[in-house]
Amino acid sequence: MGIQKDRIKFNVGGRIFETTATTLGNAGRDSFFGALFDDNWNLLRANNNQEFFIDRNPDCFAILLDLLRTSDLHIPSNVPERLLYREAAFYGLSDHVRSAKWGPFDGNRLSLCRSVTGRAPGDGTAIRAGPDGGCAVAHGSMVHVFDWMLEEHPPINLDYQRVNDIGWVNTDGIVISACERLGTADGGMGLFTSSTGELRYKFNVVHDNQVKSYAAGALSFSPDYKIFSSCKGRSNEYGVGVWDQVTGKQIDFFYESPGWSLGDADKLQWLDRRNCLLVATLFPRKDNCYISMLDFREKRMVWSWSDIEAPVTVDEKRVRDAIAMEESNSICVVNEYEDLGFIDLRMSGGSVRWSSRSRLNKGKMPDESCYPKLALHEGQLFSSMNDCISVFCGPDCVLTSRLRRSHGGSICDFSIGGDRLFALLSEENVFDIWETPPPPII
Amino acid sequence: MSAPKKKTIQIEAFRHRVVADPKYAEKTWNILEHAIHEIYNHNASGLSFEELYRNAYNMVLHKFGEKLYSGLVATMTFHLKEICSSIEAAQGGLFLEELNRKWADHNKALQMIRDILMYMDRTFIPSAHKTPVHELGLNLWRDVVIHSSKIQTRLLDTLLELIQGERSGEVINRGLMRNITKMLMDLGSSVYQDDFEKQFLESSADFYRLESQEFIESCDCGEYLKKAERRLNEEIERVSHYLDAKSEAKITNVVEKELIESHMQRLVHMENSGLVNMIVGDKYEDLGRMYSLFRRVASGLVLIRDVMTSYIRETGKQLVTDLERLKDPVDFVQRLLDIKDKYDKIIGSAFSNDKTFQNALNSSFEYFINLNSRSPEYISLFVDDKLRKGLKGVSEEDVEIILDKVMMLFRYLQEKDVFEKYYKQHLAKRLLSGKTVSDDAERSLIVKLKTECGYQFTSKLEGMFTDMKTSEDTMQGFYANVGADLGDGPTLSVQVLTTGSWPTQPINTCNLPTEILSICEKFRNYYLGTHTGRRLTWQTNMGTADLKATFGKGQKHELNVSTYQMCVLMLFNNTDRLTYREIEQAAEIPASDLKRCLQSLACVKGKNVLRKEPMSKDIADSDAFFFNDKFTSKFFKVKIGTVVAQRESEPENQETRQRVEEDRKPQIEAAIVRIMKARRVLDHNNIVTEVTKQLQSRFLPNPVVIKKRIESLIEREFLERDKGDRKLYRYLA
């Protein structure tokens, strides 16, 4: 064995570090360290035994060097995260830090990582996780955007109209749907740059070759770059509109038929395998619940369910949220007591099969509760109720975990994305971030 | 106290933001600008990466990103302009090399600049919606260098010139070409297409238009195709060596259009070397080349196929209508098979077994085989010939091959029922005369016919085989039972044929000699004794007999004759002279058969056991016949064949036709009834198409005949015409 040739010595802000080319290679081409290599990953500018001076913070350098060596991030308590993130940005290692900070999402291993307190009054309507670990929170007429470091960006407003729903189209684009203000012809749906809050595009609705103003409600996105939104037009043009994300043009509109509700929908969900859109209008927005599946190619409602004709039972159960589970060919619904129910998707007009699991919650309902919400992530079903989120797994939806935080009121909305779970609390304007810790060392 | 000093209070505006000194930013930028200069001047080794990176970082951090970016654009543009003029100054052949070298330098510099400005690339550029550094470098190179007026056209001309040079055999620097085209592709596919590919395709089209003109004037078809193929391969190779892979389809398209498509007609029809000549000369290689080249253009294969089809039809038609050929049915069918073999081989080895070509071949055969109404008879005769004698010493597999080929011809026949008729006749003759060579071959052919046409087609043929077997058993039984009583009279061998299975006609039995008559009577008694309720009729026109005869000088011979001939000869046991009238009266043989049989006994040289007066070829009613005492033969056994035309004579043929037509009537009626029973109401045209469809596996019914059958069915009240619409027929249940 000879002498090691790939050693390199750094002098960072006066502290000497020694490492190897292999370790630095882990930083990738697109980083400060990548620029020290030539095309064949041989070290450039390596004057023998001469140290390489960098005028930066040595403490952070130590943490980042450790990250490159082990792919594991350990931030000592004396180093503020913000400082570390800034240094990582200098070296071009932000992506490394982010991917090492938390592990792949698993509903049963989540731990609370932080709570962020916002400025706005406690009137949160929606929270949506971004694809890279950031999130957007809608409060009244404002949308606050946080990146993965939970740094807040300039807020977005659509001329101070009430925001109904938000959704991320990519890491830098947010679609916001808003109400129409009385007396004005604005409202509708717009695409914003998440980092700057600028309006990039406004989506129009055309009826009979005329651009009409409208109020946009729930949003959904399909993998082939379509945007769906429930729409309410001025002259009763109710229904679901479809736009192309790339061109921004409206490509379809499914009009609501009499006696059924589409334009008021609380929830839209694109089902890629069935090539259908689930549209759910729920109590108390309407007196009854309407759940339907639309096939846009055939311009047809291929499946529908409603509780109009359902007999009124002793303990009245009203569907408060619905989510389609394509694997098990069913739609999962939840009522105000957090009872889960299932409707078979394979035939129209079936009834709800309630699971009697959660009776134990009864009787200790807080005075002012939020409606339960459902979410699905890689086969795990999440349901929020009051101040906690339940996790259900497996084909029979067995309750496996509960996420609860002691204060902040009940959860009014939550969202999963970028390997994180965000929960928005109703009383104080706080949202919680839940993460899966990095995998164990061995 | 003195008057208090007047204090002037000046309130300074509170500094909200800490702004770095613009002068400081200027200084920082100067350092970076200097570095960029040094990088372009190949002096980068003295620069400190860390310092430059930090400076760029600081500028972005202190909101001087805009200044940094615009500075970069200006500096890079300045250097590219310098580079541009040095490339312009390069003389002649050095131009491309200089361009290539400078491009490599620029890329290297761009990489270093990007490393230094990485922080700006990551943070400032996305938020300010600017072009990233690398892309900026490429765009500037494109706009400043490649699109400069002096370089743009020169570059294109040089490239095209080099390619032209290579086409005419010069050796060019392919590596350099590859680098330059790669540069154009790196600058964006639109740059490659607009600045090079479009003109390249145009000039190629011009070149090949001229060259193909030259080729077609000077070469024959085969040679032309060889040259075209070589050019095509050259272009494909060129693309793989130094052009964008996407250009392949485009340039081959140009070559195909200019070299093949525009001369296709002329090539195929070229005198003395076109497609027909290739087919005649079995030039598989040329044909294969033509196929693979023509396949590339839209209507190329259709053209080849059409010319081939019309040639096959024409030659086939000549063959089947050539009266000379028709004299020998076996040779006729053999020729058909040879033609089929020839085209099968061409399609297999040159046209890569193209299905459409096979279909064209089949339809051509179907066309011309059916031009000759005697084809079914000839094919059956061919089989007859093969099964009688042709298969001796041929292995089983070869037999199968021959039979398969025959089946293939059979498939082309439209009048399969005519074939069946003849086949039955010929098979009957083979079976009764014991001439068939191989039972296995016979049965194998029947199995093939069965798979081709179904059970009912062959059920009678199979019945014939069963009869032969049963007859054997019956004869054994007969001799076992009554053999002892027979004494040393003549031996009788009877084949009992089921009526209907065999092509028999009711016939007036001739007067058999008394010796035979008695044993026949015994057999009749025996047979009817074992099988009650049956009727036996003697088919004396189909039997044979062996006679022992003694001639002058005690010469003994065994004569192998037909039953009729036996009857005639036996008359001469009692007398030496008989007139034709006497024979006719005694034997009661039908006149035509009798004449034929006397002809074979008296007029064939070497077999003339009778003598005729007067000596002449034909038999007249007034002729007299004598026992020929002087008959000699070097063989002990003498086979006296009947003078039988192997081919059917014209009147016989007419008769068979007529019988076939008769047989078709019930089949057509059955089809009509079947269809009407299912459909209830149908118009005339649809009935005709449906009937034709149902029957086409057996024959092609004539619409006029179908109409007649429909009328007959209406008469017999199976159908009626619709009262409102006369074209409609109704089924009457």
Side-chain angles (χ1 to χ4, degrees), chain A residues 166-399:
Chain A
I166 40 180
W168 294 77
V169 291
N170 50 39
T171 49
D172 200 36
I174 295 182
V175 172
I176 297 177
S177 64
C179 283
E180 223 182 344
R181 256 185 315 181
L182 281 176
T184 59
D186 43 18
M189 209 164 75
L191 174 66
F192 294 80
T193 304
S194 65
S195 53
T196 59
E198 295 163 56
L199 174 64
R200 277 204 298 216
Y201 187 80
K202 216 174 152 210
F203 297 92
N204 281 327
V205 164
V206 176
H207 295 289
D208 302 326
N209 296 321
Q210 260 188 303
V211 177
K212 297 278 184 86
S213 77
Y214 65 104
L219 293 169
S220 182
F221 305 89
S222 72
D224 56 346
Y225 305 106
K226 282 189 219 149
I227 304 177
F228 301 88
S229 173
S230 55
C231 298
K232 292 196 280 187
R234 241 348 129 64
S235 355
N236 285 329
E237 297 106 343
Y238 279 38
V240 176
V242 187
W243 290 265
D244 189 309
Q245 251 178 57
V246 182
T247 63
K249 296 279 170 288
Q250 183 192 342
I251 49 180
D252 209 343
F253 198 91
F254 198 110
Y255 290 95
E256 163 181 315
S257 51
W260 199 263
S261 171
L262 295 176
D264 275 315
D266 296 86
K267 181 146 190 164
L268 302 186
Q269 185 191 358
W270 174 252
L271 308 178
D272 204 43
R273 234 185 308 149
R274 286 166 189 268
N275 220 319
C276 282
L277 185 76
L278 176 88
V279 184
T281 312
L282 304 159
F283 188 80
R285 194 182 294 266
K286 287 263 181 181
D287 289 341
N288 288 100
C289 300
Y290 304 88
I291 305 177
S292 44
M293 291 218 306
L294 309 182
D295 189 327
F296 283 87
R297 296 165 302 179
E298 296 176 34
K299 283 266 176 209
R300 199 162 69 81
M301 197 187 282
V302 289
W303 183 92
S304 61
W305 177 90
S306 166
D307 63 356
I308 296 176
E309 310 265 298
V312 181
T313 48
V314 188
D315 44 358
E316 196 185 16
K317 286 174 175 173
R318 310 228 70 149
V319 172
R320 299 305 181 116
D321 197 9
I323 194 161
M325 304 198 294
E326 283 193 270
E327 268 92 36
S328 55
N329 289 312
S330 59
I331 289 181
C332 176
V333 294
V334 66
N335 68 0
E336 61 265 47
Y337 307 114
E338 214 196 350
D339 292 326
L340 294 184
F342 298 90
I343 316 175
D344 198 327
L345 256 183
R346 286 165 295 195
M347 49 188 213
S348 257
S351 59
V352 183
R353 182 169 51 81
W354 291 102
S355 93
S356 53
R357 169 194 63 83
S358 47
R359 289 291 159 86
L360 45 121
N361 276 350
K362 255 192 187 168
K364 48 176 183 174
M365 301 281 295
D367 297 334
E368 196 195 339
S369 65
C370 284
Y371 300 127
K373 294 259 165 111
L374 293 170
L376 196 63
H377 187 86
E378 285 170 6
Q380 294 178 327
L381 181 70
F382 297 79
S383 139
S384 70
M385 183 69 190
N386 301 331
D387 61 345
C388 88
I389 294 175
S390 313
V391 186
F392 303 89
C393 293
D396 300 325
C397 290
V398 180
L399 177 65

Side-chain angles (χ1 to χ4, degrees), chain B residues 435-587:
Chain B
K435 288 277 173 48
T436 178
V437 176
S438 152
D439 236 26
D440 288 345
E442 290 279 6
R443 284 185 187 281
S444 140
L445 191 64
I446 286 188
V447 169
K448 285 184 205 305
L449 286 170
K450 196 170 174 177
T451 43
E452 197 68 31
C453 294
Y455 164 76
Q456 87 242 33
F457 194 90
T458 56
S459 63
K460 289 183 178 172
L461 301 179
E462 281 168 351
M464 288 161 76
F465 279 97
T466 325
D467 281 353
M468 294 305 290
K469 183 84 186 75
T470 338
S471 300
E472 223 172 87
D473 296 345
T474 313
M475 285 322 290
Q476 270 174 10
F478 173 63
Y479 279 106
N481 266 339
V482 284
D485 311 342
L486 291 175
D488 56 350
T491 317
L492 183 70
S493 165
V494 181
Q495 273 135 3
V496 184
L497 313 182
T498 314
T499 326
S501 293
W502 296 73
T504 53
Q505 304 112 40
I507 195 152
N508 294 326
T509 318
C510 68
N511 283 341
L512 290 168
T514 43
E515 299 92 324
I516 308 291
L517 217 48
S518 71
I519 188 166
C520 282
E521 216 36 58
K522 277 183 188 139
F523 176 78
R524 182 196 293 275
N525 291 337
Y526 165 76
Y527 187 79
L528 295 181
T530 44
H531 304 275
T532 44
R534 294 204 183 174
R535 212 159 61 87
L536 278 182
T537 330
W538 298 104
Q539 293 282 327
T540 45
N541 56 335
M542 291 163 102
T544 57
D546 290 336
L547 297 177
K548 281 186 181 136
T550 317
F551 293 91
K553 297 176 197 161
Q555 256 196 347
K556 286 189 177 170
H557 287 284
E558 198 175 297
L559 304 178
N560 178 264
V561 294
S562 73
T563 307
Y564 283 151
Q565 287 168 334
M566 172 196 74
C567 293
V568 172
L569 287 178
M570 291 293 271
L571 294 175
F572 285 88
N573 269 345
N574 305 323
T575 172
D576 277 355
R577 180 185 183 279
L578 284 168
T579 62
Y580 175 79
R581 292 252 176 257
E582 284 166 337
I583 296 173
E584 192 182 23
Q585 222 160 33

Side-chain angles (χ1 to χ4, degrees), chain A residues 30-31 53 55-56 90, chain B residues 50 53 57 114-115 118 122:
Chain A
D30 248 4
S31 67
F53 180 76
D55 183 15
R56 301 301 297 186
F90 174 84
Chain B
E50 192 273 342
Y53 188 97
Y57 174 82
R114 188 171 162 262
D115 282 351
M118 192 184 293
R122 275 176 174 284

Side-chain angles (χ1 to χ4, degrees), chain B residues 617-661:
Chain B
K617 276 271 171 214
D618 293 310
I619 309 292
D621 289 1
S622 54
D623 286 353
F625 295 88
F626 301 88
F627 174 67
N628 185 5
D629 210 19
K630 297 189 186 79
F631 175 80
T632 53
S633 173
K634 52 185 178 210
F635 302 109
F636 175 66
K637 282 193 178 181
V638 179
K639 182 176 175 353
I640 299 177
T642 335
V643 180
V644 191
Q646 210 190 10
R647 279 171 69 223
E648 273 192 329
S649 61
E650 223 21 73
E652 275 174 320
N653 186 16
Q654 291 295 337
E655 200 188 310
T656 315
R657 285 253 138 223
Q658 221 161 30
R659 250 185 299 142
V660 168
E661 288 299 330

Side-chain angles (χ1 to χ4, degrees), chain B residues 238-288:
Chain B
R238 185 183 332 285
V239 171
S240 75
H241 277 294
Y242 56 78
L243 298 181
D244 183 11
K246 287 197 206 83
S247 295
E248 186 179 308
K250 297 179 194 165
I251 183 67
T252 49
N253 227 335
V254 167
V255 180
E256 284 156 9
K257 188 167 168 296
E258 297 301 335
L259 283 185
I260 302 169
E261 205 168 1
S262 39
H263 298 291
M264 208 156 59
Q265 292 286 348
R266 197 164 158 191
L267 283 169
V268 165
H269 296 294
M270 204 177 251
E271 226 168 293
N272 297 327
S273 65
L275 178 61
V276 169
N277 282 69
M278 290 180 184
I279 291 175
V280 171
D282 287 330
K283 291 185 173 148
Y284 300 129
E285 207 178 303
D286 286 345
L287 286 168

